[in-house]
Amino acid sequence: MTPLPEIIARRIAQTGPITVADYMAECLLHPDHGYYATRDPFGEQGDFTTSPEISQMFGEMIGLLLAQVWMDQERPGPFTLAEIGPGRGTLMADILRVANVVPGFAEAAQVHLVEASPTLHEVQRKTLGSREVTWCDTADDLPQFQPLLLVANEFFDALPIRQFQRDSNGWRERMVGLTGDKLTMGLSTPAPIALLDDRLADTKPGDLVEHCPGAEPVVAAVSERIASNGGVALFIDYGDWHSLGDTLQALRAHEPDDPLAHPGEADLTAHVDFEALAKAATGLQVTPMTPQGVLLERLGITARAQTLASKLSGDALESHIAAHRRLTHPQEMGNLFKAIALYPNDCTPPPGFAP
Ligand code: SAH
């Protein structure tokens, strides 16, 4: 056991209950004992598997989308090719490989990775080999004055959320406190919360809503660059338009866990509220939210899967077929995961998104 449960308990004993967002931030990003700071959590051996880790086809489809946008926007000279929350770097490696079919793209791309975890920096460096890469701490550090082509897959769901329960006299915030020496969930006293005023219309007393304070500044920084200099941002995540209810979840060794049970040792996520992302995107166009399966089909994943299948047999073929199904089938990731893209006002929408 790491000392993180003790560190959190001491903080609560000294200064009182903490918000769910503060609890998530400690668990995920504590510099010494945080979940992302201490491990490479992906794949069979880790706690969860993401789309780029399931099959190279995911990154290939995203790479073709980005390359098409680059061509549609007159093949700009130096541009920023960025990923926020790049995990092992697999998605960026697949994007760069497939983009080689479009002459000039890879040469014009200046790769930037926005990553909070030094442990994952090292993993990303290894995955991307000799490719020149700049690491940034936040989206604000991305270059300001050139086109930005950006992807974020399963990034926003890792950002800390606050949770509020509607009360007849306002909202009570869900707080992590201590009962004896055990972490427990409680509720603050009710107060009006201005940022939730627009949720008064669609909620009733007892309903729970979530707010992700870290998402809006990221979307604002990205939008500003794309609105001024061109490019595209593609956000893919677990979630829906307009969140309602408690979606905080912990995953440990591919099994659901109690979010308070293993601080720093389980992945904590919450569903992404795509409407909130779209609202934070100002000065540019937002595509309709599109299920991952539909997007990948429109980008040509099935034709690509057939080409790859023709070279495989036995177990490799079976697992390739399973990977295609997992990424696209409505009962697997195809419908649970959604995508939106942001693009400049006077440009063609990126491929795969119906207008
Ligand atoms: N996109 C990858 C990994 C998703 S996991 C994939 O699809 O496989 C979430 C990623 O976001 C990890 O790389 C994690 O370290 C990073 N991350 C989490 N919080 C962050 C923050 N506040 N700023 C930057 N990166 C963050």
Side-chain angles (χ1 to χ4, degrees):
M1 186 146 127
T2 74
L4 194 59
E6 241 171 73
I7 293 171
I8 295 174
R10 207 177 319 129
R11 175 173 168 190
I12 295 171
Q14 282 165 359
T15 59
I18 58 174
T19 64
V20 172
D22 284 346
Y23 174 73
M24 279 181 86
E26 289 279 28
C27 290
L28 295 176
L29 297 175
H30 186 284
D32 300 320
H33 312 294
Y35 181 76
Y36 285 113
T38 52
R39 69 197 72 211
D40 168 359
F42 308 100
E44 298 287 313
Q45 309 301 320
D47 294 306
F48 61 95
T49 306
T50 57
S51 297
E53 302 298 334
I54 290 172
S55 163
Q56 68 185 68
M57 293 185 290
F58 181 80
E60 289 173 349
M61 294 305 116
I62 305 303
L64 292 174
L65 179 153
L66 296 176
Q68 184 65 50
V69 168
W70 183 72
M71 290 188 284
D72 288 346
Q73 295 186 16
E74 331 255 295
R75 302 170 193 255
F79 72 93
T80 310
L81 176 62
E83 183 175 356
I84 317 186
R88 280 184 177 163
T90 309
L91 174 55
M92 185 53 82
D94 289 337
I95 290 171
L96 287 166
R97 194 187 61 254
V98 75
N100 275 330
V101 301
V102 177
F105 180 91
E107 293 73 28
Q110 297 179 347
V111 177
H112 285 69
L113 300 178
V114 181
E115 174 57 69
S117 154
T119 311
L120 289 175
H121 274 196
E122 285 314 307
V123 180
Q124 290 151 14
R125 189 189 301 281
K126 281 203 193 107
T127 307
L128 292 169
S130 57
R131 178 79 206 197
E132 195 180 318
V133 175
T134 305
W135 275 271
C136 306
D137 291 333
T138 73
D140 268 326
D141 302 329
L142 290 169
Q144 293 240 19
F145 304 110
Q146 59 187 23
L148 170 64
L149 278 70
L150 175 141
V151 61
N153 182 60
E154 289 210 51
F155 163 71
F156 288 103
D157 71 351
L159 291 185
I161 49 142
R162 294 174 70 183
Q163 295 187 313
F164 300 92
Q165 191 171 309
R166 177 115 179 243
D167 184 271
S168 48
N169 297 316
W171 301 91
R172 289 170 181 269
E173 180 154 13
R174 261 183 120 198
M175 308 291 284
V176 179
L178 276 178
T179 305
D181 57 2
K182 205 171 167 308
L183 295 173
T184 46
M185 285 287 188
L187 289 171
S188 71
T189 50
I193 305 231
L195 71 92
L196 296 178
D197 280 353
D198 65 340
R199 299 305 305 264
L200 288 170
D202 71 319
T203 54
K204 53 183 186 327
D207 283 351
L208 190 138
V209 300
E210 296 176 337
H211 176 72
C212 178
E216 282 139 37
V218 173
V219 177
V222 168
S223 303
E224 210 179 278
R225 286 161 176 75
I226 295 172
S228 317
N229 309 305
V232 69
L234 178 62
F235 303 145
I236 306 168
D237 234 305
Y238 195 39
D240 231 317
W241 195 256
H242 210 60
S243 80
L244 189 63
D246 174 13
T247 72
L248 177 66
Q249 60 176 29
L251 212 55
R252 190 162 174 252
H254 297 268
E255 294 292 331
D257 194 19
D258 173 349
L260 299 184
H262 299 99
E265 292 179 50
D267 184 40
L268 293 180
T269 57
H271 287 196
V272 172
D273 181 341
F274 280 90
E275 186 184 33
L277 300 187
K279 277 189 180 162
T282 48
L284 72 182
Q285 301 287 316
V286 181
T287 63
M289 186 182 76
T290 305
Q292 170 169 306
V294 172
L295 177 69
L296 293 176
E297 287 298 346
R298 287 183 182 151
L299 293 172
I301 196 170
T302 297
R304 178 66 180 141
Q306 283 161 351
T307 308
L308 288 171
S310 66
K311 296 172 201 135
L312 299 171
S313 59
D315 287 352
L317 179 60
E318 291 301 312
S319 71
H320 170 66
I321 293 168
H324 173 260
R325 185 187 150 89
R326 202 160 160 205
L327 290 176
T328 57
H329 196 278
Q331 278 161 1
E332 304 229 17
M333 298 173 91
N335 216 15
L336 286 173
F337 282 74
K338 312 287 197 311
I340 55 170
L342 320 181
Y343 62 100
N345 278 333
D346 42 10
C347 289
T348 350
F353 291 93

